[in-house]
Amino acid sequence: MKILDENGRIGGKISIIDVIVILICLLVVFSVFVKFNNDDTQAASKDAKTITYTVKIKSIRQGTVDAIKKGDVLRENIDKNPMGEVEAIQVEPATLKMNLNNGTWIDAPLEDRYDVILTMKKKADLNDGHVYINRIYELNVNSTITLLSKYAQFTGTITGINT
């Protein structure tokens, strides 16, 4: 018994072209599965390093200051992903630069307002001098960041990153 008959069919039932088309389709499906089902989270965690960064929050009320505690995990305001744990809190009276009539500048105190400097700790990915938290948020000095605690939301400026 021959494998291919005179019409090019395997066993007299399936065309060799049909077999080639089916094999190509299976190869494409397998390639797509491998590409999009690749779990590279462990590879990213091997490159992850614990960093600290500081965020300065200007001119907030006492209630917001009280809503931030050491050990709190602060989240970003859009996707609610964790942006780090509060390691240290520094509170100082808020001031405002004012120009006097004689042309001099002074730091005038703002009543019932405080500046807060948070030191945050988080695992981050380092890639060519860039720092990424949660693999999507790039930290940059002098960029603003909006954070959520359990009871408050505030916007601050990243003042330093220690890798």
Side-chain angles (χ1 to χ4, degrees):
M1 178 164 164
K2 293 177 158 184
I3 295 177
L4 292 176
D5 64 4
E6 61 275 349
N7 293 329
R9 295 180 185 203
I10 299 174
K13 297 183 180 185
I14 300 175
S15 169
I16 189 72
I17 294 176
D18 293 339
V19 171
I20 292 172
V21 169
I22 290 171
L23 287 175
I24 289 173
C25 289
L26 289 174
L27 182 65
V28 168
V29 168
F30 180 74
S31 298
V32 169
F33 176 78
V34 168
K35 178 167 179 60
F36 292 110
N37 199 30
N38 187 9
D39 185 19
D40 57 354
T41 55
Q42 290 187 356
S45 66
K46 289 179 186 173
D47 298 336
K49 181 179 179 187
T50 301
I51 63 154
T52 59
Y53 64 100
T54 54
V55 178
K56 184 168 187 174
I57 307 159
K58 292 186 169 199
S59 186
I60 59 175
R61 296 176 297 209
Q62 183 65 46
T64 308
V65 173
D66 294 341
I68 307 167
K69 303 285 186 217
K70 183 177 178 180
D72 282 353
V73 174
L74 300 182
R75 301 179 177 281
E76 57 90 20
N77 72 327
I78 297 172
D79 295 329
K80 312 297 187 266
N81 289 322
M83 295 300 287
E85 178 182 336
V86 177
E87 265 196 338
I89 303 171
Q90 218 179 336
V91 180
E92 48 196 43
T95 58
L96 178 68
K97 289 251 184 229
M98 292 187 70
N99 188 1
L100 299 178
N101 289 337
N102 63 4
T104 60
W105 289 87
I106 63 166
D107 288 328
L110 288 174
E111 189 174 326
D112 297 327
R113 295 291 179 153
Y114 302 92
D115 291 343
V116 176
I117 299 173
L118 298 176
T119 302
M120 306 280 292
K121 176 177 70 172
K122 177 74 172 151
K123 280 198 179 279
D125 296 321
L126 306 176
N127 186 2
D128 292 330
H130 299 275
V131 179
Y132 295 95
I133 289 184
N134 300 326
R135 301 181 66 200
I136 53 175
Y137 302 106
E138 183 177 2
L139 293 184
N140 293 305
V141 174
N142 292 328
S143 64
T144 59
I145 184 171
T146 301
L147 298 169
L148 301 171
S149 74
K150 190 172 182 180
Y151 302 108
Q153 175 177 333
F154 39 86
T155 301
T157 303
I158 298 172
T159 58
I161 301 171
N162 298 320
T163 56

